[in-house]
């Protein structure tokens, strides 16, 4: 029977089928971002990837929609999205252009820290201009050449100089850095301990330079770059929160961001699945469609099943966050499952394309490259497994 619920679920991606309540506002936000992706991002995604060209105009337009600080409250001139709506937005953007999606995640990660911990002066100078789209994207600077998964091993340091701080060191693999104007940076502030503090550094500050733009395998238009701080003097007013609590601020922001990366993984895989399904239906082989062969039908069945599993874990994590729960292990489960499922789904869909899947004339080739890093950034799969294991073995679930 074609009930109203089934009619609703038949539209777009059918979010209701996952069993989580999706509000009209959340559904409309998802559809708005899908339209933006289809109309403004997808047409130029391949060219930007080929040329390593940052999507400056597209990010600017998305920023003016509130996309660079989606969870900033209306009092801070932001859209005030909950975690579910935010994750749905990232999924929709990733279907069209994963590079734009990850720049959006990085900016929102930085601005979420300010939303939670900035004082009124910092909100006025940094958070609200980004939320209004007046300062483009922001960026988040934690990773260093010798400190990726081991975030506590960072070497960038800051020392007091009167009322100011002098920042020295380097950051690497900083997403969106090529065009960001506001950077949330983490540095050690006590040489005798591992105490880390959080600072805001603005583009153009003396002693702060952008390094090389990374020549990456995938996500080639996301403006990933090095950052260098050479006796960079920043005002004391740019210290976010209290001195020495930066590590707590960074780790506290990672759960919602890992759910966002799970959503990005799903977006990539959903697009790959759509391409594979269309190709399998249309391509003729041995007198019939590719999709007529049982082995290919089963590949599609496995992909769809695993994708739904990723959706369920991602939506669970977002919903629990919205309900006020701490979700370190649930976020890690979502990120681990979605990123690894993304890799398997994209690989199967490229296989359905045969030799054409290996050609840069086909979109699936770009998605294959984009998908690989999902298991690395925002905590590798190995790190996610350790977080989950600690919760299960050492601390139990709670």
């Amino acid at each position: 029977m074609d009930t109203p619920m089934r009619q609703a679920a038949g539209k777009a991606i059918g979010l209701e089928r996952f069993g989580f309540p999706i509000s009209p506002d959340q559904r409309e936000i998802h559809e708005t971002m899908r339209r933006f992706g289809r109309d403004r991002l997808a047409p130029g995604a391949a060219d930007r990837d080929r040329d390593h060209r940052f999507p400056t105009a597209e990010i600017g337009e998305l920023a003016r929609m509130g996309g660079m600080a989606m969870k900033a409250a209306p009092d801070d001139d932001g859209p005030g999205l909950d975690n579910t709506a935010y994750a749905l937005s990232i999924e929709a953007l990733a279907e069209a252009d994963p590079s734009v999606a990850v720049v959006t995640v990085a900016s929102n990660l930085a601005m979420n820290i300010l939303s939670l911990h900035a004082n009124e002066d910092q909100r006025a100078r940094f958070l609200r201009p980004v939320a209004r789209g007046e300062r483009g994207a922001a960026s988040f600077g934690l990773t260093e050449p010798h400190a990726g998964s081991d975030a506590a091993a960072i070497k960038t340091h800051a020392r007091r100089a009167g009322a100011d701080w002098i920042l020295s060191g380097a950051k690497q693999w900083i997403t969106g850095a090529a065009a960001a104007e506001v950077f949330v940076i983490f540095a050690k502030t006590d040489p005798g301990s591992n105490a880390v503090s959080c600072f805001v550094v603005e583009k153009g500050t003396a002693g702060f330079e952008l390094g090389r733009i990374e020549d990456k395998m995938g996500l080639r238009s996301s403006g990933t770059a090095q950052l260098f701080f050479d006796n960079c003097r920043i005002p004391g007013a740019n210290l976010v929160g209290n001195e020495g609590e930066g590590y707590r601020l960074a780790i506290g922001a990672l759960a919602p961001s890992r759910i966002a990366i799970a959503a990005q993984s799903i977006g990539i895989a959903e697009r790959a699945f759509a391409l594979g399904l269309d190709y399998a239906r249309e391509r003729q082989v041995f007198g019939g469609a590719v999709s007529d062969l049982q082995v290919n039908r089963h590949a599609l069945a496995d992909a769809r099943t695993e994708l739904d599993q990723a959706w369920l874990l991602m939506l669970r994590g977002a919903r629990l966050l919205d309900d006020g729960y701490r979700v370190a292990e649930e976020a890690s489960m979502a990120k681990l499952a979605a990123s690894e499922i993304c890799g398997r789904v994209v690989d199967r869909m490229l296989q359905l394309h045969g030799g054409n899947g290996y050609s840069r004339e086909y979109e699936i080739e770009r998605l294959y490259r984009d998908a690989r890093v999902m298991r690395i950034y925002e905590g590798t799969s190995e790190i996610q497994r350790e977080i989950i294991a600690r919760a299960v073995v050492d601390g139990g679930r709670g």
Side-chain angles (χ1 to χ4, degrees), residues 54-56 59 68 98-108 135-141 172-183 203 208 210 212-214 216 219-227 377:
F54 190 82
T56 303
I59 288 291
M68 295 301 110
S99 286
V100 170
V102 75
V103 171
T104 305
V105 172
S107 183
N108 276 273
R135 301 199 69 174
S139 197
F140 175 88
Q172 191 171 20
W173 303 115
I174 307 305
T175 300
E181 297 185 31
V182 175
F183 296 80
K203 179 181 178 180
F208 171 36
L210 188 71
R212 72 168 186 265
I213 309 299
E214 301 289 354
K216 307 189 303 298
L219 301 177
R220 289 159 60 90
S221 61
S222 60
T224 304
Q226 296 175 313
L227 306 178
Y377 62 26

Side-chain angles (χ1 to χ4, degrees), residues 162-242:
D164 298 336
W165 289 89
I166 304 297
L167 192 63
S168 298
K171 300 292 181 180
Q172 191 171 20
W173 303 115
I174 307 305
T175 300
E181 297 185 31
V182 175
F183 296 80
V184 173
I185 300 295
F186 296 86
K188 288 191 173 176
T189 46
D190 183 354
S193 74
N194 286 325
V196 173
S197 298
C198 177
F199 301 90
V200 178
V201 182
E202 298 180 80
K203 179 181 178 180
T205 302
F208 171 36
E209 293 186 3
L210 188 71
R212 72 168 186 265
I213 309 299
E214 301 289 354
D215 186 3
K216 307 189 303 298
M217 172 183 176
L219 301 177
R220 289 159 60 90
S221 61
S222 60
T224 304
Q226 296 175 313
L227 306 178
F228 295 106
F229 304 94
D230 183 10
N231 291 316
C232 174
R233 182 181 289 266
I234 56 176
N238 286 23
L239 171 69
V240 180
N242 297 318

